[in-house]
Each structure stands twice: as structure tokens, then as C-alpha cells.
Amino acid sequence: MNETATDVRRHWRAHLDRAAAQLPVAFSRAPDEFAVVSVPLLRDALRRSVPTPLVVAEDGGWSIFLDGYPVAADGTDLDEALDDFVVALIDYTDAWIDRLHSVPNHQHAVLLAHLVATSTPDELREWAGGPARTAVTA
């Protein structure tokens, strides 16, 4: 990584074009290092890094859990549970950005926070209950 923030700033459009083409763009602003990545590429990587939500049908309703995170939802049907789960994800991410990011037992949620922040509610809903998800009946 040889480019500096000044170098990237001078050729910002070209660097955005590289990121859009999914080519690496990295630079430093001492002492920190950064990368410019397209949101779809980042979102895909984050989805692979965060545990898959567990969707469970039980007692005539549905529950959705995210193992290792304080995010869960229930609903009388799957749609309601998914809607509540998305709200829970967004609420947790807002709290994480505001104050929980510096709390030791929440610092591991950095990738989840980035996933939620770069996704629409519909994208989060599809991730949580996508077609590949198999519901477990308790």
C-alpha cells in the first residue's frame, strides 16, 4: 500500500471507478490504512462473516435468533417475525454506533453493524429469511 490519502483524493474518480470494477483501492493516512470497496462487494463479504440467522417455527409462531448477538424476534407468522427481526437489527446497530461499539462485550459486532448500515430493510429481511434458509421446527 503505497498511496496516500492525498494521492487518492487527486484521482478520486479513477479510484471510485476501480472500486466499482471490484479492483483493490487501498491507501494510508498515517497511521491508519483504508480501502474503498463497492457496497455490494462489502455487503457480500459481511454476509459471509456474520452468522446466519436461525429461523425457528415453534408453538404456532416463529422466532429468529442471531447466535452471539443480542438480536432476536418473534411473530405469529414468519412475515411478522422477519419484520420484527429487521427492526431489532436496526435498533441494535443504532445503539452500537451510538455507544456500544466501545463496550468490550459488543466490540465483536463491528461486522454486523457494517452489514446493517450498508443494507436496506428489504435486503436484511431477505438475508434473515432468504430462500436458502431452512426453518427448524421445535
Side-chain angles (χ1 to χ4, degrees), residues 3-131:
E3 290 198 274
T4 66
T6 302
D7 297 330
V8 171
R9 198 170 35 249
R10 265 189 227 127
H11 305 286
W12 184 239
R13 181 178 298 259
H15 285 84
L16 288 179
D17 290 343
R18 283 182 58 84
Q22 297 187 351
L23 298 171
V25 177
F27 62 96
S28 63
R29 187 182 73 185
D32 300 313
E33 297 176 335
F34 300 92
V36 179
V37 180
S38 71
V39 169
L41 180 63
L42 177 62
R43 190 182 309 115
D44 182 58
L46 292 169
R47 283 181 173 190
R48 295 170 194 261
S49 301
V50 174
T52 301
L54 177 62
V55 179
V56 180
E58 60 183 356
D59 297 328
W62 291 85
S63 296
I64 305 175
F65 307 93
L66 191 57
D67 191 35
Y69 301 87
V71 179
D74 296 307
T76 56
D77 59 34
L78 183 56
D79 285 332
E80 182 182 328
L82 285 167
D83 289 344
D84 287 352
F85 187 73
V86 168
V87 169
L89 282 169
I90 293 168
D91 287 349
Y92 176 70
T93 299
D94 289 346
W96 189 89
I97 291 168
D98 288 345
R99 64 187 178 284
L100 296 176
H101 65 276
S102 61
V103 177
N105 64 333
H106 289 274
Q107 289 177 348
H108 73 287
V110 62
L111 297 178
L112 175 63
H114 281 269
L115 174 61
V116 174
T118 60
S119 300
T120 66
D122 287 342
E123 289 166 337
L124 293 170
R125 192 177 198 287
E126 188 243 321
W127 168 66

